[in-house]
Amino acid sequence: VGDERRAAEEAVRRCYSTWSTTYHDEYYGEGAAHPPVHRDLLLRLLADAGARDVLDAGCGPASFLRHLEGTGIRPFGFDLTPEMVAEARRVLGDDDAVWEGSALDPEAFHPPGDPGRRFDAAVCAGVLPHIPAGTDADVLGFLAGAVRPGGLVAATARNELFGLFTLNRYSRDLFHDLIDVEGLRAEALPEEAEGLEQGLAAMDARFRTDLPPLRTGEDGAPGYDEVLSRAHNPLALRDAAEAAGLREVRLLFLHFHRLPPLAGDAVPALQRRASLAMDADPSDPRGLVMASSVVVTGTAP
Ligand SMILES: C[S@@+](CC[C@H](N)C(=O)[O-])C[C@H]1O[C@@H](n2cnc3c(N)ncnc32)[C@H](O)[C@@H]1O
């Protein structure tokens, strides 16, 4: 295991270690900023696939898996963060259903005592942001390897292209990324340097770079925006899924925003209603820029 991966994983572990008992409430509970539309979509996908069991890679405190109760689908999962594993075992009441492991390690995708086991489906929600650039196809390949041939794979990511709609810090980051600002600075002739900085400043001034507020951590642990938390270009994610050997690859979109967030804040109830109405159709292509999350799905070869 490389030093860089080890350091990134340690920061992520510390970030989530303080979150095991509150995470479900924050993201799935009554007070959640957004209803858990990814839960409903994943449940629908699993039902449509006729899955009888599922592996959740990066299962957190069984925040999704606990909602399988009554569906007849048997939950399994693993997570990088020991506190999450302990909470998931407690919630599911089954120590063997959850184990510790990293999504960057192919062995984690099978139960410790049963390395040959294949599941009907594998899901992975909220984990791809935390894995290093260049490893997406690896993780998607491990998910494919965890399921039987024809089994379902579904993985969620943050949609980088949403920055084209948000007019905030995400836009600035996306523009800088697309432009490759450091690369362009290196290409600029000495007499162009000042003009380039002026142009970039004029561009950045278009965006509310103070929004959204940075998510900092608790009890000295780093917050979500202080650890590796990448957003993905959905089209590149589709390529990675195909490179991983998945078949029938599709992109679905979640957490639609009818207005850019900073405009929606002026009419919160309308924004929520109109945005949720768009979430009813995850295949709406406007999601490429209007949805903050993307789900890549496919079937295993
Ligand atoms: C945003 S939470 C999502 C939890 C759950 N999947 C859900 O959707 O409700 C992300 C989880 O991924 C875990 N995680 C982050 N990086 C991981 C990795 N490389 N391998 C396994 N789990 C990881 C964290 O510990 C955390 O519990």
Side-chain angles (χ1 to χ4, degrees):
V1 178
D3 286 348
E4 208 178 316
R5 172 182 151 188
R6 210 193 310 269
E9 285 185 344
E10 188 47 34
V12 168
R13 229 183 250 120
R14 290 208 299 130
C15 167
Y16 282 102
S17 66
T18 57
W19 227 343
S20 61
T21 55
T22 51
Y23 185 86
H24 179 266
D25 243 23
E26 246 174 80
Y27 288 94
Y28 294 73
E30 289 292 309
H34 239 287
V37 287
H38 84 282
R39 173 196 64 192
D40 302 338
L41 177 63
L42 292 179
L43 287 174
R44 268 202 313 278
L45 291 172
L46 290 173
D48 290 350
R52 286 152 306 163
D53 60 13
V54 62
L55 175 73
D56 187 348
C59 63
S63 33
F64 169 69
L65 289 177
R66 67 182 77 182
H67 295 276
L68 292 172
E69 199 180 332
T71 63
I73 303 169
R74 196 166 162 205
F76 293 88
F78 69 87
D79 200 278
L80 185 68
T81 307
E83 289 83 354
M84 290 293 191
V85 171
E87 180 65 4
R89 285 178 170 160
R90 190 190 67 76
V91 166
L92 296 178
D94 181 355
D95 283 0
D96 296 331
V98 186
W99 55 95
E100 208 177 303
S102 171
L104 291 166
D105 175 7
E107 285 174 17
F109 290 73
H110 307 279
D114 191 1
R117 178 159 187 152
R118 297 285 180 279
F119 301 92
D120 285 347
V123 300
C124 183
V127 179
L128 291 183
H130 303 307
I131 62 156
T135 60
D136 298 327
D138 293 342
V139 173
L140 291 165
F142 301 154
L143 287 163
V147 300
R148 59 170 172 75
L152 170 76
V153 169
T156 77
R158 299 169 62 202
N159 176 10
E160 185 181 34
L161 299 184
F162 183 49
L164 294 173
F165 194 61
T166 55
L167 312 175
N168 60 17
R169 194 174 64 245
Y170 299 142
S171 315
R172 193 261 322 264
D173 293 348
L174 174 59
F175 274 56
H176 280 236
D177 195 36
L178 291 170
I179 292 164
D180 177 15
V181 167
E182 283 316 311
L184 192 59
R185 281 186 176 128
E187 279 172 52
L189 301 171
E191 61 270 30
E192 292 167 333
E194 197 184 323
L196 175 60
E197 294 313 316
Q198 282 170 4
L200 291 171
M203 179 184 82
D204 289 353
R206 294 282 165 191
F207 304 128
R208 282 289 304 273
T209 53
D210 56 324
L211 292 176
L214 278 175
R215 288 166 282 187
T216 51
E218 280 171 31
D219 302 334
Y224 189 92
D225 291 317
E226 296 166 320
V227 299
L228 177 67
S229 52
R230 297 157 59 217
H232 285 73
N233 180 325
L235 303 176
L237 199 57
R238 181 166 64 194
D239 288 347
E242 281 166 357
L246 286 168
R247 306 216 170 118
E248 303 168 90
V249 175
R250 293 172 67 198
L251 294 177
L252 299 168
F253 298 101
L254 281 174
H255 294 146
F256 278 84
H257 290 65
R258 182 66 175 272
L259 287 163
L262 60 86
D265 287 349
V267 274
L270 173 62
Q271 166 78 335
R272 194 177 164 93
R273 223 169 45 240
S275 299
L276 278 175
M278 291 187 80
D279 273 320
D281 179 12
S283 52
D284 183 338
R286 290 177 293 177
L288 204 52
V289 288
M290 292 175 78
S292 61
S293 306
V294 57
V295 188
V296 63
T297 70
T299 54

